[in-house]
């Protein structure tokens, strides 16, 4: 993330190379980093000052978009070679499962602020929703009352939170119960 920002501040190719190298290394260690390019695109649209329209701003990222895509494809090829015996779940099952587990987002948000009902294998039914609703309402109220709010930072933070929580909502095996 830092080298991505530095590249646009200083326009030095070394920051681009560092960013892409570290992105690929991160992909090899933590698969959820696959969502980082989406966050970085939102960061660029929201934070990099420019008079350009959103689509033109995204065109500025064409080199990065191509590089991220190539690295992601390379990662998936390596992953498939390494996990030869692993049979993945159908895409439709994964999407259906993600939608069924969306209420878990509320529970994850409350657990960030109030670490109660923690479990190694959390289930939606084990955590009351009332605390999540109260926590989210409190956060919205505090953001509304804040005198120094930056809407772009709030939006970027929300997008970042949601994208990096999504992998936790996807069931990777049909052998255990949904969250």
């Amino acid at each position: 993330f830092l080298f991505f920002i530095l590249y646009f501040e200083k326009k030095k190719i070394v920051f681009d190379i560092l960013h892409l190298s570290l992105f690929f290394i991160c992909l090899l260690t933590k698969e959820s980093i696959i969502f980082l390019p989406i966050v970085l695109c939102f960061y660029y649209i929201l934070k990099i000052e420019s008079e350009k329209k959103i689509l033109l701003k995204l065109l500025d990222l064409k080199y990065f978009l191509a590089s991220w895509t190539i690295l992601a494809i390379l990662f998936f090829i390596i992953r498939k070679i390494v996990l030869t015996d692993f049979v993945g779940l159908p895409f439709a099952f994964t999407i259906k499962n993600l939608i069924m587990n969306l209420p878990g987002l509320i529970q994850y948000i409350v657990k960030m602020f109030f670490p109660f009902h923690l479990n190694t294998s959390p289930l939606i039914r084990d955590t009351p929703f009332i605390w999540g609703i109260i926590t989210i309402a409190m956060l919205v109220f505090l953001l509304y009352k804040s005198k120094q709010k930056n809407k772009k930072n709030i939006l970027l933070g929300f997008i970042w939170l949601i994208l990096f929580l999504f992998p936790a909502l996807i069931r990777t095996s049909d052998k255990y119960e949904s969250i």
Side-chain angles (χ1 to χ4, degrees), residues 89-98 171-174 176 178:
L89 297 170
F91 185 71
F93 175 83
T94 304
I95 296 300
K96 177 183 170 202
N97 191 263
L98 175 68
R171 195 167 54 157
T172 56
S173 171
D174 59 353
Y176 60 90
S178 293

Side-chain angles (χ1 to χ4, degrees), residues 117-171:
H117 300 286
L118 299 178
N119 194 337
T120 55
S121 298
L123 300 174
I124 288 178
R125 67 173 181 256
D126 291 344
T127 306
F129 278 97
I130 188 69
W131 297 113
I133 294 166
I134 291 170
T135 302
I136 291 171
M138 185 175 64
L139 284 171
V140 169
F141 175 76
L142 290 173
L143 285 171
Y144 176 75
K145 285 294 191 181
S146 174
K147 294 184 188 325
Q148 297 179 342
K149 62 182 161 231
N150 182 329
K151 291 179 183 176
K152 289 181 178 180
N153 283 348
I154 293 168
L155 180 61
L156 181 65
F158 179 74
I159 291 168
W160 193 316
L161 172 75
I162 298 302
L163 283 176
F164 281 96
L165 278 179
F166 268 176
L169 300 175
I170 298 173
R171 195 167 54 157

Side-chain angles (χ1 to χ4, degrees), residues 91-109:
F91 185 71
F93 175 83
T94 304
I95 296 300
K96 177 183 170 202
N97 191 263
L98 175 68
I99 292 168
M100 284 178 25
N101 290 330
L102 278 177
L105 274 176
I106 296 170
Q107 294 178 343
Y108 279 124
I109 290 171

Side-chain angles (χ1 to χ4, degrees), residues 48-141:
I48 303 294
E49 296 300 325
S50 173
E51 298 298 320
K52 295 179 180 178
K53 302 230 184 272
I54 291 175
L55 191 56
L56 290 175
K57 277 185 149 186
L58 284 176
L59 284 175
D60 287 346
L61 293 176
K62 63 182 173 273
Y63 170 74
F64 280 103
L65 292 169
S67 299
W68 291 326
T69 303
I70 290 166
L71 290 174
I73 290 169
L74 180 62
F75 162 73
F76 283 114
I77 290 169
I78 292 171
R79 183 178 184 267
K80 185 160 181 71
I81 291 168
V82 171
L83 300 175
T84 54
D85 294 336
F86 180 76
V87 178
L89 297 170
F91 185 71
F93 175 83
T94 304
I95 296 300
K96 177 183 170 202
N97 191 263
L98 175 68
I99 292 168
M100 284 178 25
N101 290 330
L102 278 177
L105 274 176
I106 296 170
Q107 294 178 343
Y108 279 124
I109 290 171
V110 75
K111 289 177 183 185
M112 285 183 225
F113 294 97
F114 304 107
F116 305 113
H117 300 286
L118 299 178
N119 194 337
T120 55
S121 298
L123 300 174
I124 288 178
R125 67 173 181 256
D126 291 344
T127 306
F129 278 97
I130 188 69
W131 297 113
I133 294 166
I134 291 170
T135 302
I136 291 171
M138 185 175 64
L139 284 171
V140 169
F141 175 76

